[in-house]
Amino acid sequence: MLDNDFLKTFGECDFVYSTRENEKMPESFIQLLSILGIEFQNLKHIDRTIQYSKIIIPDESFWVEKDKGYLFCGQYKKCIDIIRDYGIKNYKKLNNNKFYFTCSRLRNNRQFGEEDLELFFESQGYTIIAPEEYSFFEQLNIFLNCDSFASTIGSSSHNCIFMKDNTNLYLIPRAYYLTGYQETLNQVNKLNVTYIDSSVSIYTNSNAPWNGPFYYYVSRSLKECFHDYNNYNNEFKDFEKYCIISLLKNKVIGSSNYY
């Protein structure tokens, strides 16, 4: 976000960035930068060893403090508001206002059983979205069309920061824990958040639970939340595959590290 005071102090500096293994910058991230007034072509990609006499590293705007959890500053909220305002100005009404964001179509996916969640939410009138198939501009418009949004907790659910106030969020934890990031991001805007237990990730390693793999199913809690008690496929499809991959991934069978 480039305001006049910032440009007066740092406008003559090189703005540099690096990527993991020199990967190409995702187009969606370039689109996000453009909303904040940052032209990507003016940034310098550091793809080899280089030396500067002085390097200025921006301070964190979203961080964790001992005994306080995750925190964010006013500047972080200001950036989010600029992006939301851009989305509102370029708003295009869609045919639906209920969306479920899925991770099931990603390669090397760590999640099993999400297809059954998709079927359930589709039956509730939700449009199923694989966000990686849309540009950031398109995703932002979807977020601002949302009256009701659902997903498993992860990168998809973190996008709640771009949604309009009073959006209803239905979030399914990946395992026995809640992600600290998500709990804090829920407070960036005024949202109506409901957590629903609909996972049975019994082989998640307690030392690194974020590594998964994770297993989802249409639980009684999910049915009760939507007052829908129809018979959905609860045969735990691919559960055996989930168990085998979990055990191979962690290279331990019967360890006390599992829940």
Side-chain angles (χ1 to χ4, degrees):
M1 186 173 59
L2 306 181
D3 56 31
N4 291 331
D5 289 338
F6 180 90
L7 290 173
K8 184 177 180 180
T9 305
F10 302 107
E12 299 300 320
C13 297
D14 285 339
F15 291 87
V16 303
Y17 72 97
S18 62
T19 57
R20 183 179 60 183
E21 299 180 354
N22 289 329
E23 294 176 348
K24 183 180 178 181
M25 184 70 77
E27 185 63 31
S28 287
F29 190 70
I30 295 173
Q31 293 172 354
L32 186 149
L33 290 177
S34 71
I35 295 174
L36 295 173
I38 301 171
E39 297 300 327
F40 178 69
Q41 62 267 24
N42 295 333
L43 305 181
K44 184 176 182 179
H45 184 200
I46 303 301
D47 56 0
R48 65 188 186 281
T49 302
I50 191 170
Q51 185 177 30
Y52 283 93
S53 60
K54 184 178 182 180
I55 299 176
I56 301 171
I57 300 175
D59 200 358
E60 293 180 290
S61 61
F62 192 105
W63 71 98
V64 63
E65 278 190 15
K66 186 178 180 181
D67 301 325
K68 292 184 179 180
Y70 291 91
L71 303 171
F72 61 88
C73 66
Q75 194 74 359
Y76 179 86
K77 178 70 165 65
K78 187 176 180 181
C79 284
I80 300 304
D81 287 342
I82 288 174
I83 296 170
R84 283 210 305 173
D85 288 346
Y86 174 90
I88 292 170
K89 290 177 183 176
N90 295 275
Y91 177 84
K92 297 178 181 178
K93 185 172 177 58
L94 302 177
N95 293 329
N96 199 358
N97 59 9
K98 299 164 67 176
F99 298 90
Y100 176 90
F101 271 42
T102 182
C103 296
S104 66
R105 299 168 201 174
L106 292 172
R107 295 178 61 186
N108 301 319
N109 192 16
R110 297 175 298 162
Q111 306 198 138
F112 295 84
E114 192 172 13
E115 292 83 358
D116 284 342
L117 294 183
E118 292 178 23
L119 291 173
F120 176 84
F121 278 100
E122 196 169 35
S123 74
Q124 306 303 313
Y126 285 70
T127 298
I128 309 303
I129 297 290
E132 66 276 6
E133 297 175 359
Y134 295 80
S135 71
F136 179 75
F137 295 139
E138 291 170 329
Q139 291 183 54
L140 182 59
N141 191 58
I142 292 172
F143 300 143
L144 290 170
N145 269 271
C146 280
D147 286 339
S148 186
F149 174 88
S151 78
T152 59
I153 293 181
S155 298
S156 292
S157 64
H158 297 343
N159 287 301
C160 68
I161 56 178
F162 301 121
M163 296 175 191
K164 60 190 178 185
D165 290 351
N166 300 315
T167 299
N168 296 311
L169 263 65
Y170 298 96
L171 304 180
I172 298 174
R174 295 182 290 188
Y176 56 86
Y177 69 98
L178 292 179
T179 305
Y181 283 116
Q182 187 63 52
E183 295 178 272
T184 305
L185 291 172
N186 291 344
Q187 301 176 51
V188 174
N189 298 312
K190 298 177 181 179
L191 303 170
N192 305 317
V193 184
T194 301
Y195 293 104
I196 309 171
D197 181 12
S198 202
S199 68
V200 59
S201 304
I202 60 174
Y203 287 110
T204 300
N205 192 313
S206 61
N207 294 325
W210 50 86
N211 286 335
F214 309 107
Y215 191 91
Y216 304 100
Y217 73 111
V218 179
S219 67
R220 180 182 296 273
S221 296
L222 184 58
K223 295 177 183 179
E224 289 178 347
C225 182
F226 287 88
H227 307 288
D228 188 340
Y229 302 95
N230 292 319
N231 292 319
Y232 294 93
N233 180 15
N234 286 337
E235 297 177 357
F236 288 79
K237 182 174 58 179
D238 290 333
F239 187 71
E240 182 178 356
K241 181 179 178 182
Y242 157 76
C243 293
I244 293 172
I245 289 178
S246 298
L247 296 173
L248 290 175
K249 178 179 176 65
N250 292 285
K251 298 181 181 178
V252 177
I253 297 179
S255 168
S256 60
N257 286 334
Y258 293 109
Y259 285 79

